[in-house]
């Protein structure tokens, strides 16, 4: 039997991702997210927390490609339903990134993915060149010390 914290996280991620998919379906009905929705539900039924964490990340990234008005609409729904929104999640990620940068090393694959995602977000922003270089140094250092990770 899984502990209550595990079950809470499973339910939270499932509900969060399905909420994002519902909004995506509203704005982009031609691109229905039925396959993605099925993956989420199956991962939840199998108590596959790792899989749900991946789809959580993917759904948040997909939401980031919506227009500003659509994101505001989504954020209002998320804030009402969960008490926080994509902006709050991004702030938490930035705090984690800052801690990793201060530490000067990546400890695990999850931190590696977090930094990789940040690099994708800022690579074209000329104001973020210093941060981009620091992140790339950490990613390169991690790559040189570890085998490829497929978790």
């Amino acid at each position: 039997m899984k502990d209550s914290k595990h079950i809470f996280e499973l339910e939270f991620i499932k509900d969060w991702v399905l909420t994002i998919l519902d909004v995506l379906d509203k704005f982009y009905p031609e691109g229905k997210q039925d396959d993605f929705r099925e993956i989420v539900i199956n991962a939840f039924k199998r108590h596959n927390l790792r899989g749900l964490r991946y789809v959580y990340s993917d759904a948040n990234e997909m939401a980031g490609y919506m227009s500003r008005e659509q994101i505001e609409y989504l954020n209002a729904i998320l804030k009402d339903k969960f008490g926080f929104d994509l902006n709050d999640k991004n702030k938490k990620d930035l705090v984690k990134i800052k801690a990793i940068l201060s530490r000067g090393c990546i400890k695990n694959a999850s931190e590696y993915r977090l930094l990789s995602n940040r690099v994708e977000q800022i690579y074209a922003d000329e104001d973020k060149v210093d941060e981009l270089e620091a992140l790339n140094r950490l990613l390169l250092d991690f790559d040189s010390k570890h085998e490829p990770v497929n978790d």
Side-chain angles (χ1 to χ4, degrees):
M1 184 80 168
K2 302 289 182 182
D3 66 11
S4 61
K5 182 179 176 188
H6 182 88
I7 291 174
F8 175 81
E9 186 174 359
L10 286 165
E11 289 176 352
F12 162 76
I13 293 173
K14 175 188 64 87
D15 292 343
W16 178 274
V17 172
L18 292 177
T19 300
I20 290 174
L21 295 178
D22 289 344
V23 171
L24 285 169
D25 283 347
K26 174 184 170 76
F27 289 114
Y28 306 102
E30 69 284 352
K32 278 278 201 205
Q33 302 297 323
D34 292 338
D35 292 341
F36 199 177
R37 188 174 275 103
E38 188 175 330
I39 290 167
V40 172
I41 292 168
N42 287 335
F44 176 76
K45 287 178 181 176
R46 290 189 319 267
H47 291 242
N48 181 353
L49 187 56
R50 181 185 291 178
L52 280 174
R53 286 177 178 159
Y54 282 119
V55 296
Y56 174 79
S57 176
D58 291 345
N60 289 327
E61 184 177 337
M62 289 168 51
Y65 293 108
M66 297 188 324
S67 73
R68 175 172 283 139
E69 294 81 18
Q70 293 168 339
I71 290 174
E72 288 174 7
Y73 176 84
L74 173 59
N75 277 338
I77 292 172
L78 293 172
K79 192 83 151 179
D80 183 54
K81 192 169 184 177
F82 300 100
F84 65 99
D85 60 23
L86 292 170
N87 294 326
D88 298 325
K89 186 235 177 268
N90 291 338
K91 288 177 193 168
K92 289 178 185 177
D93 286 349
L94 289 175
V95 168
K96 290 177 189 175
I97 290 168
K98 194 176 261 188
I100 296 166
L101 284 168
S102 295
R103 183 184 339 124
C105 68
I106 299 171
K107 289 185 176 180
N108 55 45
S110 177
E111 289 183 356
Y112 183 91
R113 281 189 298 275
L114 180 65
L115 269 56
S116 293
N117 289 339
R118 179 67 177 161
V119 165
E120 288 179 20
Q121 292 171 354
I122 67 170
Y123 75 92
D125 188 342
E126 292 179 15
D127 295 332
K128 305 280 185 189
V129 172
D130 292 339
E131 179 184 357
L132 183 62
E133 288 175 358
L135 293 171
N136 279 327
R137 276 192 301 275
L138 290 177
L139 292 168
L140 184 61
D141 184 54
F142 188 84
D143 280 338
S144 69
K145 294 178 181 175
H146 296 84
E147 293 292 319
V149 179
N150 293 324
D151 65 353

